[in-house]
């Protein structure tokens, strides 16, 4: 029997949990495909705890700090506990765990640091990679390291890759043809309204107008996606004038944990709320009461400028996959509506998926981590997309110039000191 808190409604994921548990009893790995709202983030890890092979801890990787904390708190709540008991979490500058913690939700960077310090992952029975479709560099790296550790040091370690949109067959091949388990999820109806683009109007003004329209035409709380913090703040200022009756709440990485919790949960006083969020609300989180999404159709991501040798934040059009994830937030708990600030005819011209970070990022941090790991040939590891050869060569050259690697590509004492600092290698070198 897998654990499910008393009184908790049956989630779609519960129908396929027996198949997933059977796959993990029979083999080392599995791929779980489940659409938004199926319950994979909070239901899978507790379900593993009672299986005979699961005598240690289950680590769950989450793409963002707010999602990690929210997932842990929700799992603990379903078990009738507080976070830090059976379920805990560790993020940068924030942690709640104890000696009794069996499920530990961590950010991807925390997991990379954990496995570098303990390649055997002693006391860990399973590692779950949630929202793997986002293809963050630390997620791809963490999976490559976990697969190698499983093959060389820990044949008993279970690895589960979970997502709503990934190509399950590609991950299955990476995991030695692991079985793919699929959940159908909920089928709440979702309607999309295309408001069109207005190039002559600033994005904040366009979003404020769209939110006013949604407030007037629909019921339920509203989740609005904007590319960055500055746009969120300016939109909030406009709404304070135009929609004073709304409870407007920001949700991004700089908001304090208490403010993030307030944005995620229904207002205790029953006020209708408007949550202005960056892409951190795109996956993993269920915002209670939200049935309307307003999407600016923009994303902000870090891209490495090879010519200048620096990483810049660039604003781009959100991919079709991102737009689908965002719209799906409106139909997590019932019928929903998504307003999009671009034309339906232009939607097919958007990229199908966001590019994986391994092809857009500065690979110097990756090269330094692989040198710590002792990987002589990065291409020999288990990558969904192998790091580009030219970019890896440039990264190693940059690290050698900083004294982090020797001429044979091995990490130096200076390189190890740099790797201990949570920053880009060049900045770590300057501090040291």
């Amino acid at each position: 029997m897998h654990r499910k808190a008393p009184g908790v409604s049956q989630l779609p994921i519960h129908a396929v949990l027996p198949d997933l548990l059977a796959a993990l009893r029979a083999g080392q790995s599995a791929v779980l495909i489940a659409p938004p709202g199926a319950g994979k983030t909070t239901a899978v890890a507790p379900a593993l705890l009672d299986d005979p092979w699961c005598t240690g801890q289950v680590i769950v990787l989450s793409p963002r700090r707010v999602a990690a904390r929210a997932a842990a708190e929700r799992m603990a709540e379903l078990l009738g506990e507080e976070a830090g008991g059976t379920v805990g979490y560790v993020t940068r500058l924030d942690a709640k765990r104890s000696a009794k913690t069996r499920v530990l939700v961590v950010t991807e960077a925390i997991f990379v640091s954990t496995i570098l310090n303990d390649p055997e992952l002693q006391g860990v029975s399973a590692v779950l990679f949630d929202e793997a479709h986002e293809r963050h560099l630390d997620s791809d790296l963490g999976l490559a390291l976990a697969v190698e550790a499983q093959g060389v040091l820990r044949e008993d370690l279970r690895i589960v890759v979970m997502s709503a949109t990934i190509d399950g067959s590609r991950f299955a091949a990476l995991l030695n043809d692991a079985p793919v388990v699929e959940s159908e999820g909920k089928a709440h109806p979702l309607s999309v309204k295309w408001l069109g683009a207005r190039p002559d109007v600033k994005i904040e003004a366009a979003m404020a107008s769209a939110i006013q329209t949604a407030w007037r035409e629909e019921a339920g709380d509203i989740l609005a996606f904007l590319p960055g913090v500055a746009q969120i703040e300016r939109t909030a200022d406009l709404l304070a004038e135009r929609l004073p009756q709304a409870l407007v709440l920001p949700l991004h990485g700089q908001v304090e944990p208490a403010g993030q919790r307030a944005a995620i949960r229904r207002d205790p006083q029953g006020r209708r709320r408007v949550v202005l969020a960056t892409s951190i609300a795109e996956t993993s989180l269920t915002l209670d009461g939200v049935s309307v999404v307003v999407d600016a159709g923009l994303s902000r991501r870090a891209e490495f400028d090879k010519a200048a040798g620096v990483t810049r934040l660039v604003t781009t059009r959100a991919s079709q996959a991102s737009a689908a994830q965002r719209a799906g937030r409106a139909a997590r708990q019932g019928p929903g509506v998504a307003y999009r600030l671009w034309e339906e005819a232009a939607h097919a011209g958007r990229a199908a998926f966001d590019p994986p970070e391994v092809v857009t990022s500065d690979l110097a941090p990756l090269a330094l981590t692989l040198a710590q790991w002792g990987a002589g040939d990065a291409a020999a590891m288990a990558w969904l997309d192998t790091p580009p050869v030219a970019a890896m060569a440039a990264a190693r050259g940059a690290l050698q110039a900083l004294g982090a690697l020797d001429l044979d590509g091995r990490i130096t004492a200076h390189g190890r000191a740099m790797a201990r600092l949570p920053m880009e290698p060049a900045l770590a070198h300057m501090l040291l």
Side-chain angles (χ1 to χ4, degrees), residues 99-185:
K100 64 176 288 190
T101 298
R102 294 286 312 282
V103 175
L104 187 66
V105 188
V106 303
T107 51
E108 295 156 347
I110 293 289
F111 176 74
V112 170
S113 177
T114 299
I115 196 169
L116 284 174
N117 291 327
D118 178 15
E120 292 188 34
L121 292 176
Q122 295 183 21
V124 175
S125 293
V127 183
L128 278 52
F129 291 80
D130 196 17
E131 307 298 354
H133 73 276
E134 293 200 17
R135 303 297 312 282
H136 294 160
L137 191 56
D138 280 330
S139 177
D140 281 5
L141 172 59
L143 182 58
L145 298 179
V147 169
E148 184 160 302
Q150 184 190 57
V152 177
L153 301 169
R154 286 287 310 278
E155 291 186 355
D156 62 324
L157 180 69
R158 267 57 168 195
I159 296 174
V160 181
V161 173
M162 309 192 301
S163 183
T165 62
I166 60 172
D167 181 347
S169 61
R170 292 188 71 200
F171 275 95
L174 199 68
L175 299 172
N176 296 316
D177 295 321
V180 178
V181 179
E182 295 194 44
S183 168
E184 293 183 358

Side-chain angles (χ1 to χ4, degrees), residues 300-340:
R300 184 162 293 169
R301 63 171 179 259
E303 286 192 357
F304 184 56
D305 184 334
K306 298 180 180 66
V310 296
T311 298
R312 294 191 172 98
L313 279 176
V314 298
T315 301
T316 62
R317 295 193 305 170
S319 67
Q320 295 180 44
S322 288
Q325 286 278 349
R326 294 175 182 188
R329 302 295 102 183
R332 292 291 291 261
Q333 298 173 321
V337 180
Y339 291 77
R340 288 175 171 168

Side-chain angles (χ1 to χ4, degrees), residues 16 22 25 41 82 94 143 171 188 194 201 209-210 212 217 242 249 303 319 337 339 368 378 394 410:
V16 300
R25 291 180 196 125
T41 299
E82 297 284 333
D94 190 16
L143 182 58
F171 275 95
H188 294 308
W194 306 87
V201 178
S209 295
Q212 285 179 274
E217 294 180 350
R242 301 184 188 182
L249 301 168
E303 286 192 357
S319 67
V337 180
Y339 291 77
L368 186 59
R410 291 188 294 262

Side-chain angles (χ1 to χ4, degrees), residues 204-216:
E204 298 89 352
M207 282 294 286
S209 295
I211 290 167
Q212 285 179 274
T213 300
W215 181 277
R216 185 174 61 251

Side-chain angles (χ1 to χ4, degrees), residues 283-310:
T283 59
S284 298
L285 295 173
T286 295
L287 276 68
D288 283 339
V290 165
S291 59
V292 182
V293 162
V294 180
D295 187 1
L298 299 172
S299 294
R300 184 162 293 169
R301 63 171 179 259
E303 286 192 357
F304 184 56
D305 184 334
K306 298 180 180 66
V310 296

Side-chain angles (χ1 to χ4, degrees), residues 14 50 66 82 104 117 121 168 187 192 239 241-242 244 292 357 365:
H14 289 121
D50 294 327
V66 60
E82 297 284 333
L104 187 66
N117 291 327
L121 292 176
V192 177
L239 290 175
E241 300 172 5
R242 301 184 188 182
V292 182
E357 287 186 358

Side-chain angles (χ1 to χ4, degrees), residues 336-357:
V337 180
Y339 291 77
R340 288 175 171 168
L341 272 67
W342 64 97
E343 291 80 8
E344 183 175 7
H347 187 65
R350 291 174 175 252
F353 297 94
D354 292 324
E357 287 186 358

